[in-house]
Amino acid sequence: MTLHASTRRELLAGAGVLFAWPFVPKLARAEGRDPRMLTIVLRGALDGLAVVAPVGDPDWVKLRGDKALVLDGKTPALALDSFFALNPAMPNLYRLYKADQAAIVHASATPYRERSHFDGQDVLESGLPKPGRAESGWLNRALSGLEPEARVTRRDGRAFAVGPVTPLVVRGPAPVMSWTPRRIQPASEDTMARLLDLYHHTDTELARAIESRMELVTLARTGDPAALAPTEGQPLPQGFPAQVRGYFADAAGTAAKFLARADGPRIGALAFNGWDTHIDEGADSGRLATLLGALDGAIGAVEKNMGEAWRDTVVAVVTEFGRTARINGTNGTDHGTGTIALLAGGALKGGRVIADWPGLKSANLYEGRDLAATTDLRAVLKGILKDHLRVTDQALAANVFPGSADVKAMVGLV
């Protein structure tokens, strides 16, 4: 059997594509349920502290100063409970949280403790305890262990379009269908930097052409050659927020339409790039706020387009790792450890922030710089797969997440 390690090209190309399992889980249907699950991977590492701020921690404002989201700030955070508050860019998630249809698992992470995007994404999507050559992803292995009731049929005769590359999380023995959005995700600075890094090693002429194109776009936007140098606080390109919101909503909303169909798939996965916020992160009104607003719109689009099936749905939003607890010298955050998992759906027992809070004093930070991870993300995913899809404990420990026998499934999520 051929082993496969994800390449940089594949990780970039596989974003924004729905990959779905064309079967209905038999055991869940026998219980009178028709569960749906959508996994959304945020590639680039999410600043969990900027999404769900620990406003009740006495060291929070000390840590981030005027960049800390607070309840009485210029852009007030949305109180979730007496300790945590949600980024104001996410009103849909807040509404769902208040309706007990959303939950947050804070200070969570995969077993990975280094800071390479590609190794971190490999661990996240493979479900293995460390990076390496993997032939399949945890979601596909979970599907391959489920007994299907019936294969999905498309009455209208149309098939899913084939996406550019199947992401690792759904690669494996279980059959998957794929669909690619008509919109193209606007390239972020993070994506362009990764492409340049890739092509500097493989195609230097193309790399130079991309760099020249980027310079021309910058000149056209500003009319000033000095703008070619990075400028702290530079605004987002005109139209970028609307492009991102449109792309996220289109991809997630159309995925939901497929999942909601009586003859549609029941389990799917999407990936969104662009979350690497080293410079001018902008948690309240900048790039991150724009991305979070787009993600919030995507969650709203899933809810709307799932219709009645929303009550049987769980959406899990995950990322490869977190970001540094402190803001860096360019008003961004660097690669970190602990972050959050966002959960939404009518099948959830929501209205909760689940956290074994580690604290933000310097002595409590991982390696003196990161939010310490106190919850293994595999426990969260195991809990959903076990209680929602009825994957067995034995399969979860031995096949879905090998080497995780000591990581118990989080109970009571659904």
Side-chain angles (χ1 to χ4, degrees):
M1 186 175 292
T2 303
L3 299 182
H4 180 88
S6 297
T7 66
R8 296 185 178 203
R9 184 189 301 269
E10 289 170 335
L11 288 170
L12 290 167
V17 182
L18 170 69
F19 290 85
W21 191 57
F23 293 99
V24 178
K26 184 175 182 178
L27 182 56
R29 178 60 67 85
E31 297 172 342
R33 298 183 302 112
D34 192 3
R36 273 80 162 181
M37 179 178 177
L38 178 63
T39 300
I40 299 178
V41 177
L42 306 181
R43 291 188 177 144
L46 179 64
D47 183 358
L49 291 170
V51 183
V52 178
V55 294
D57 190 309
D59 296 294
W60 171 232
V61 175
K62 297 177 187 177
L63 189 73
R64 292 215 168 170
D66 61 0
K67 300 296 188 297
L69 290 176
V70 292
L71 296 174
D72 58 352
K74 182 179 179 181
T75 308
L78 306 171
L80 297 173
D81 55 28
S82 61
F83 194 87
F84 293 104
L86 182 65
N87 192 294
M90 306 195 78
N92 279 321
L93 188 67
Y94 184 69
R95 172 180 54 80
L96 291 171
Y97 181 93
K98 290 298 183 180
D100 296 335
Q101 295 182 13
I104 295 99
V105 183
H106 218 316
S108 62
T110 72
Y112 182 68
R113 291 296 178 270
E114 303 301 325
R115 296 181 174 87
S116 160
H117 283 302
F118 299 103
D119 285 346
Q121 289 163 10
D122 183 73
V123 171
L124 173 68
E125 297 194 36
S126 72
L128 302 180
K130 60 183 180 180
R133 297 183 66 83
E135 62 182 0
S136 61
W138 62 263
L139 185 54
N140 190 287
R141 293 195 301 274
L143 300 179
S144 66
L146 290 176
E147 185 179 2
E149 179 185 74
R151 185 175 179 86
V152 170
T153 58
R154 297 297 303 274
R155 287 191 298 266
D156 57 14
R158 291 179 298 157
F160 284 81
V162 177
V165 180
T166 307
L168 179 59
V169 68
V170 290
R171 192 179 299 147
V176 293
M177 303 180 296
S178 64
W179 166 83
T180 305
R182 287 171 296 178
R183 294 175 185 257
I184 299 175
Q185 183 172 1
S188 66
E189 293 175 4
D190 164 46
T191 300
M192 295 305 297
R194 294 195 202 190
L195 285 171
L196 283 173
D197 179 63
L198 169 67
Y199 289 122
H200 273 306
H201 290 87
T202 60
D203 192 333
T204 55
E205 290 187 5
L206 180 56
R208 285 195 293 269
I210 292 174
E211 287 176 329
S212 297
R213 176 63 178 166
M214 291 170 67
E215 291 177 357
L216 288 172
V217 169
T218 304
L219 281 170
R221 186 190 311 140
T222 65
D224 181 7
L228 295 177
T231 303
E232 187 173 325
Q234 185 176 5
L236 294 172
Q238 185 176 5
F240 179 81
Q243 283 183 290
V244 173
R245 285 194 300 269
Y247 175 81
F248 278 28
D250 181 43
T254 307
K257 289 180 180 178
F258 286 134
L259 293 172
R261 291 174 58 119
D263 61 346
R266 295 299 187 265
I267 299 150
L270 287 169
F272 293 138
N273 287 340
W275 300 83
D276 199 18
T277 52
H278 287 283
I279 299 173
D280 293 329
E281 178 171 281
D284 58 348
S285 59
R287 183 175 296 275
L288 181 59
T290 296
L291 287 167
L292 291 176
L295 177 62
D296 191 62
I299 293 171
V302 173
E303 178 195 15
K304 176 182 178 181
N305 291 337
M306 289 300 299
E308 291 296 317
W310 176 252
R311 66 173 179 264
D312 294 319
T313 298
V314 172
V315 180
V317 183
V318 296
T319 190
E320 67 260 34
F321 45 69
R323 307 195 70 83
T324 48
R326 299 181 183 88
I327 300 295
N328 63 27
T330 57
N331 288 322
T333 52
D334 299 315
H335 300 174
T337 307
T339 183
I340 59 172
L342 298 176
L343 307 176
L348 280 175
K349 293 179 180 177
R352 299 177 288 162
V353 179
I354 303 166
D356 178 10
W357 190 246
L360 297 177
K361 294 184 184 299
S362 293
N364 299 125
L365 299 178
Y366 179 73
E367 296 186 344
R369 54 173 277 169
D370 302 338
L371 176 65
T374 56
T375 297
D376 194 316
L377 179 60
R378 293 173 296 178
V380 181
L381 297 173
K382 280 185 174 184
I384 296 170
L385 292 171
K386 177 182 177 180
D387 292 341
H388 194 49
L389 302 183
R390 294 294 186 250
V391 182
T392 66
D393 284 321
Q394 181 180 3
L396 289 170
N399 187 41
V400 181
F401 298 103
S404 69
D406 59 338
V407 180
K408 304 303 179 184
M410 184 175 287
V411 299
L413 291 175
V414 298

